Amino acid sequence: MQSKYLSITVLRCPDCGNDLDGLSTDIIFFCTECGRCLMSGDKLAPVEIEFTRHDDSGIVLLPFWKVDATIDILSRITRGESRTSPITGSREFHGGSLDLVESYSASRRDLIIFPAFSTSLVLSTGVKLNEEEFSQEPLQNGKYPPMIGGSVGLENVSKLASGVAVGIEVSKSDYLAFIDLDIEVHSAKVLAIGCTPSESAFRINGTSICIPFSAVKDADDILKRSGYSS
Ligand SMILES: [Zn+2]
């Protein structure tokens, strides 16, 4: 029998009762009291969280997804390095004359990291993040900074991870002509990465990766709620 009562989502930590702060579009919530991460859906459900790069004093914690996935390269076609002349318009080429090389059936297991907040740079940032090492550094118990802006839900994780995986292939030093890949997600957790706001961007601590405020939809609110007045 169905309940006749409406379920109401109270944004309060189910563990400690602390109010959970977030923006109206947020679906990932972090309890600054007990350090749990929760995701809203039918009800608030816990999601695993790791912390990294929070060594600086005045940090902003930004939420990312860290996805453990197997990437199957179904088909990958590269072309020869020497055929870069644009004066080929009217000539008819077939694979051989372009030195196309096709490789099949590569498979690798990888960790793919990309923003869980709304940004126009989600894929390019993901490709850059993939080159970095983000080892886990647990936060000191009892003192958690806020983590605001997590609006990318689990239902989009596979699609975005797949986009980042394509971006990683494109960014390799060979000349990619075609790529077809499949992705199987084994697990996804939230990675809270410490960033330092500069005048115009969030810089990910310990890296040269900057995410311009102009590319982050909620940059102003994230800064304000993290203790930076704008
Ligand atoms: Zn709590």
Side-chain angles (χ1 to χ4, degrees), residues 13 16 31 34:
C13 177
C16 70
C31 179
C34 68

Side-chain angles (χ1 to χ4, degrees), residues 18-220:
N18 187 40
D19 283 345
L20 298 171
D21 192 17
L23 309 177
S24 60
T25 49
D26 280 6
I27 56 170
I28 299 166
F29 297 94
F30 178 59
C31 179
T32 54
E33 201 59 38
C34 68
R36 283 189 88 186
C37 191
L38 301 141
M39 220 154 60
S40 66
D42 292 342
K43 56 176 188 166
L44 280 176
V47 56
E48 204 178 328
I49 183 167
E50 283 182 6
F51 303 90
T52 188
R53 308 286 170 131
H54 53 81
D55 46 325
D56 291 5
S57 49
I59 62 157
V60 172
L61 275 188
L62 287 181
F64 292 77
W65 281 110
K66 181 178 175 181
V67 177
D68 175 14
T70 296
I71 296 147
D72 287 317
I73 309 287
L74 305 175
S75 174
R76 189 178 199 284
I77 302 177
T78 54
R79 62 177 168 76
E81 198 172 339
S82 55
R83 304 300 183 100
T84 51
S85 165
I87 315 166
T88 54
S90 60
R91 287 179 63 188
E92 212 169 288
F93 280 91
H94 50 84
S97 63
L98 275 173
D99 303 325
L100 294 180
V101 180
E102 181 160 12
S103 57
Y104 296 95
S105 309
S107 180
R108 67 166 191 272
R109 188 135 179 192
D110 212 348
L111 288 171
I112 298 177
I113 297 167
F114 52 88
F117 50 90
S118 183
T119 164
S120 54
L121 306 171
V122 56
L123 296 185
S124 60
T125 302
V127 172
K128 279 186 233 157
L129 288 168
N130 193 70
E131 296 160 4
E132 298 287 335
E133 179 79 27
F134 290 105
S135 50
Q136 192 179 356
E137 305 156 28
L139 281 179
Q140 295 275 315
N141 219 0
K143 186 67 190 160
Y144 299 108
M147 183 183 74
I148 300 291
S151 58
V152 175
L154 266 178
E155 71 277 9
N156 293 315
V157 156
S158 171
K159 221 181 304 165
L160 289 170
S162 170
V164 174
V166 169
I168 290 166
E169 293 301 321
V170 171
S171 70
K172 286 181 178 168
S173 60
D174 60 3
Y175 292 80
L176 187 67
F178 175 81
I179 181 81
D180 184 17
L181 57 78
D182 257 356
I183 192 162
E184 186 194 349
V185 172
H186 304 292
S187 72
K189 57 181 83 167
V190 171
L191 182 64
I193 303 184
C195 305
T196 305
S198 70
E199 247 173 56
S200 59
F202 296 104
R203 184 180 53 78
I204 295 178
N205 290 342
T207 75
S208 57
I209 302 171
C210 287
I211 305 169
F213 295 152
S214 58
V216 179
K217 193 174 129 256
D218 301 311
D220 280 352

